[in-house]
Amino acid sequence: MIDVADRAVIHRASLDDAAGTRLPTGAALPDGIAPLTDIPVAPWRALAERAIEPNGYYLPDWELAVNAYASGRTGASALCAWNETPLVPDGVARLIGLLPVISMWRAYRIPLPALASASPYGTLCTPLLDRDVACDAVIRMLAQARNAGAHALILRDVSLNGAAMKAITEVLRQGGLRPRVLQSHARACLDARRDADELLRNALGGKKLKELRRQRNRLAEHGAVRFDVARTPDAVAAAIETFLALEASGWKARRGTALKQDDGDAGFVRRATTGLAASGQCEIVTLHAGATPVAAAIVLRHQDRAFYFKLGVDERFAKFSPGVQLTLELTRHLCASAVIATADSTASADHPMINPIWRGRLKIGDVLIPLRPRDPLVSLIHAALATRRLVREFARHMVHLIREIKSSRTRSATF
């Protein structure tokens, strides 16, 4: 069964099986499931511009950097759908759908024949679908997964109410199938079309804003407070080093999860941010007190949406809430944009910092997509995933309990 699961990622569907997809004569383009690195970048970028729903983490400069460097996330494959009409000027077929994938074994260590969306480091795996032929793209991609031997497709961290999921649901409905939501949660987002000051007053209230202004004034005693935005590749290349240093100076470093602590992760984020900056799709925002950077964050842009990737702070200034102060400035920056309509926090549910500030909510979840009617293996895959989730939740609860016990004992020992 492990062999079947692994072959599901590397087997390429035949020309006829892949919903009639055919490439122009002489074109050396992948059809069906292929290594992610085989997808030509130019058609991928063109698809991203036409995507029915934005996803900054599946932009080629980001995802290819993840695939090349990020620890545990390299070597992904892709479901891709091509439509040779109309041809783009260089004679290459038009890419109309793309989803990076890995085997279920690699994603979950479960030896069953299914594919899962590949983790792009950010918590969003919504596939890129051409807005003009979204359902056609879905039909072709599901056929490719089916012909490769998969019995199900697992979309992890997908926007449940988004246009891409609606297209997938409609295709399944027409085939007498329906998606199964494995888990869901709501996470913070920003309506950037609103006035920033009004939005922040409504979200935080006058008393909290007054306290934050007091903290900012205290921070200014260490030097004039300024908010910088790095946009060009050179500026982003310099700012990413500041971000990496800040992130590696605090609790993430103590837990061993800072990007700079892993050469592969650091390499990925350096390449991805500078690559996207060249097309205006990445900014690094930094809050300074005088010459000292106290907080920095990476923000991606795709179409009319921004994605708040990661935040790093100097914990020596913790009493001034540097992460919150940066987020307030970022909120004003995004609301002032003529392009950005919404911003996805890409944070966990009930995040204590961002949730009180960005009061909008996006419904995110994992979805099991059956590929054949009345397939008993789909129920087995569903049950295996549910069992794994219960085991992980129990283990997480025990870890938290142990940490609380240790913390309680430490506090008791100090009195």
Side-chain angles (χ1 to χ4, degrees):
M1 192 65 75
I2 294 174
D3 180 60
V4 171
D6 287 342
R7 282 191 292 111
V9 178
I10 62 175
H11 174 70
R12 291 190 43 191
S14 71
L15 215 56
D16 293 336
D17 287 342
T21 303
R22 184 169 58 83
L23 303 177
T25 302
L29 297 177
D31 178 56
I33 298 180
L36 189 66
T37 50
D38 282 2
I39 311 302
V41 172
W44 188 346
R45 285 183 176 143
L47 168 62
E49 292 177 3
R50 302 188 309 270
I52 195 172
E53 186 175 350
N55 183 356
Y57 300 119
Y58 277 164
L59 291 170
D61 287 291
W62 183 270
E63 178 59 12
L64 287 173
V66 171
N67 191 65
Y69 292 100
S71 296
R73 293 175 168 87
T74 60
S77 298
L79 291 171
C80 53
W82 297 87
N83 185 349
E84 58 182 84
T85 54
L87 297 177
V88 294
D90 60 4
V92 177
R94 186 174 66 163
L95 184 63
I96 61 172
L98 183 139
L99 175 68
V101 292
I102 57 177
S103 68
M104 187 177 183
W105 170 252
R106 182 173 171 186
Y108 299 104
R109 287 297 183 262
I110 296 175
L112 291 172
L115 294 169
S117 53
S119 170
Y121 223 109
T123 53
L124 188 65
C125 294
T126 299
L128 300 180
L129 304 174
D130 190 314
R131 67 171 70 94
D132 295 327
V133 284
C135 287
D136 185 32
V138 172
I139 289 169
R140 293 172 183 242
M141 293 163 70
L142 296 186
Q144 291 156 10
R146 192 162 50 243
N147 295 329
H151 286 249
L153 175 63
I154 305 158
L155 296 179
R156 302 185 285 178
D157 292 317
V158 66
S159 173
L160 295 178
N161 295 327
M165 195 63 226
K166 288 178 181 177
I168 294 169
T169 302
E170 174 59 22
V171 168
L172 292 176
R173 185 194 66 78
Q174 292 175 9
L177 300 167
R178 61 179 181 84
R180 303 186 187 187
V181 177
L182 301 170
Q183 66 86 20
S184 66
H185 62 277
R187 71 181 180 210
C189 68
L190 169 70
D191 182 355
R193 297 164 297 188
R194 294 182 55 190
D195 175 77
D197 290 333
E198 179 186 2
L199 184 149
L200 292 173
R201 280 195 304 271
N202 292 341
L204 296 172
K207 184 176 180 180
K208 180 62 177 178
L209 285 174
K210 182 178 180 180
E211 171 62 16
L212 288 169
R213 284 194 295 270
R214 185 191 69 79
Q215 291 178 350
R216 184 185 174 98
N217 291 335
R218 291 288 307 280
L219 178 61
E221 295 173 5
H222 296 266
V225 177
R226 74 178 192 277
F227 175 74
D228 290 340
V229 182
R231 294 185 178 91
T232 67
D234 287 345
V236 165
I240 192 62
E241 300 305 322
T242 299
F243 166 82
L244 288 170
L246 284 170
E247 193 199 32
S249 70
W251 64 268
K252 291 182 182 179
R254 292 191 293 273
R255 289 194 181 180
T257 61
L259 290 167
K260 195 173 184 178
Q261 291 176 292
D262 186 284
D263 289 342
D265 290 346
F268 126 68
V269 80
R270 287 184 176 114
R271 173 176 161 178
T273 52
T274 55
L276 286 173
S279 57
Q281 293 177 305
C282 178
E283 299 175 338
I284 298 182
V285 295
T286 308
L287 192 72
H288 291 82
T292 305
V294 298
I298 299 171
V299 180
L300 307 187
R301 288 174 173 246
H302 183 202
Q303 296 180 5
D304 65 350
R305 190 168 300 177
F307 301 86
Y308 194 175
F309 174 54
K310 278 185 179 291
L311 171 70
V313 302
D314 188 332
E315 291 184 358
R316 295 175 301 172
F317 297 87
K319 61 183 177 181
F320 307 123
S321 305
V324 175
Q325 301 288 354
L326 177 71
T327 302
L328 297 182
E329 292 296 336
L330 175 61
T331 301
R332 297 183 180 102
H333 171 63
L334 294 174
C335 287
S337 170
V339 176
I340 298 301
T342 60
D344 184 348
S345 70
T346 64
S348 58
D350 303 319
H351 192 281
M353 188 279 286
I354 196 67
N355 275 31
I357 303 173
W358 291 5
R359 291 300 183 96
R361 294 295 180 263
L362 287 173
K363 192 173 182 181
I364 304 295
D366 297 346
V367 181
L368 180 64
I369 307 295
L371 299 178
R372 296 172 179 81
R374 297 177 296 279
D375 185 350
L377 267 177
V378 173
S379 295
L380 181 59
I381 291 167
H382 192 174
L385 290 169
T387 300
R388 179 183 182 275
R389 180 175 176 80
L390 288 173
V391 170
R392 288 173 65 85
E393 287 179 351
F394 176 76
R396 190 178 296 113
H397 173 74
M398 293 305 296
V399 168
H400 289 163
L401 181 61
I402 291 169
R403 285 178 180 167
E404 289 178 4
I405 292 173
K406 287 183 177 180
S407 177
S408 177
R409 287 176 177 174
T410 300
R411 288 194 300 268
S412 298
T414 59
F415 292 100

